[in-house]
Amino acid sequence: MKAKEAKSVRSFLAIELEEDLVPKILDVQKEFKKTNANIKYVPSENMHFTLKFFGNVDGEMIEDISDSVERVIKNYTSFDLNIKNCGCFPNKDVIKVLWLGLEEGSPIKSLQKDLDKEFKKHGFKKERNFISHLTIGRVKSPKNKKEIRNTIEKLEDIEIGQMTVSKICLKKSTLTPQGPIYEDIKVFKLN
């Protein structure tokens, strides 16, 4: 059993998307599909808000991460997120990632900051300029960039809807040629 624990696991901490918001998000992806651009879309089952990407960690570190999450979430109760706005990273001239954002003032930012402080104790780098977002697609080439930019501008103020965050998931990410496969390692319930 010890040898199995030594194996490293590609992992991250996330808030999963509520199922009832998926159709509206798929509609946003449909708008981008009209641009005929070279975009790899995130499948709905993989959509989430990342709180922290850990990379490859061993079983012992998974335990440390879990303990840290438990310590932090004692101070949090369930909260609402209002998904709205469409944008891109890094900017509209060099579009690499298409995303949906969150309304300002959500507790997610302070939750992420508190988690980050704990994770720093285990040697993880602090997130700089954390921006809560839901990745919906990755732009693979500059083909039809103008159309992508126009669609972002058209959807800039879109309102997707509200969801309640009652749990946080520590996920395992297995990379495959078809795309990543995510599995829960541990689920943490908020009060």
Side-chain angles (χ1 to χ4, degrees):
M1 193 67 168
K2 284 276 186 218
K4 208 172 199 181
E5 282 182 357
K7 189 178 177 207
S8 72
V9 175
R10 188 172 192 265
S11 60
F12 62 95
L13 191 64
I15 293 171
E16 293 180 326
L17 184 66
E18 274 185 10
E19 297 259 335
D20 59 334
L21 295 175
V22 169
K24 282 187 174 180
I25 294 167
L26 293 178
D27 286 345
V28 171
Q29 286 181 334
K30 280 181 201 159
E31 287 301 309
F32 282 103
K33 286 177 183 174
K34 291 176 189 174
T35 66
N36 203 23
N38 187 6
I39 301 169
K40 183 170 174 61
Y41 295 97
V42 176
S44 59
E45 65 271 12
N46 283 0
M47 289 180 188
H48 62 273
F49 291 93
T50 302
L51 291 167
K52 184 75 171 178
F53 178 74
F54 300 107
N56 290 321
V57 295
D58 62 24
E60 193 176 307
M61 186 56 77
I62 292 287
E63 285 306 311
D64 291 342
I65 290 167
S66 297
D67 292 345
S68 291
V69 173
E70 295 281 5
R71 269 193 298 280
V72 170
I73 65 170
K74 282 180 190 167
N75 304 316
Y76 286 86
T77 56
S78 297
F79 59 90
D80 291 334
L81 293 179
N82 190 20
I83 303 171
K84 58 188 286 183
N85 306 334
C86 183
C88 62
F89 292 134
N91 57 56
K92 287 182 187 169
D93 292 322
V94 183
I95 302 169
K96 296 284 184 195
V97 174
L98 301 171
W99 53 259
L100 294 170
L102 293 172
E103 186 171 69
E104 286 293 316
S106 157
I108 195 172
K109 207 163 192 153
S110 60
L111 172 62
Q112 189 279 330
K113 207 177 271 186
D114 290 345
L115 287 164
D116 230 13
K117 272 186 225 159
E118 277 290 320
F119 299 145
K120 195 169 187 248
K121 295 174 188 173
H122 302 297
F124 292 103
K125 285 185 179 161
K126 194 171 181 278
E127 296 287 334
R128 294 181 323 145
N129 306 323
F130 176 77
I131 298 171
S132 306
H133 67 281
L134 183 79
T135 299
I136 58 170
R138 290 178 175 79
V139 179
K140 297 296 178 186
S141 77
K143 178 185 169 198
N144 296 346
K145 185 170 82 171
K146 186 177 179 219
E147 287 82 357
I148 298 171
R149 189 182 302 126
N150 290 343
T151 304
I152 292 167
E153 287 167 2
K154 184 174 102 178
L155 298 172
E156 228 164 26
D157 298 321
I158 192 164
E159 296 270 349
I160 299 297
Q162 191 168 298
M163 63 176 262
T164 301
V165 177
S166 57
K167 65 181 180 173
I168 297 171
C169 303
L170 181 57
K171 299 267 192 191
K172 172 184 175 183
S173 172
T174 306
L175 300 178
T176 74
Q178 294 75 37
I181 297 169
Y182 301 147
E183 300 168 72
D184 287 344
I185 297 172
K186 192 162 184 179
V187 176
F188 306 90
K189 302 260 188 237
L190 295 175
N191 297 321

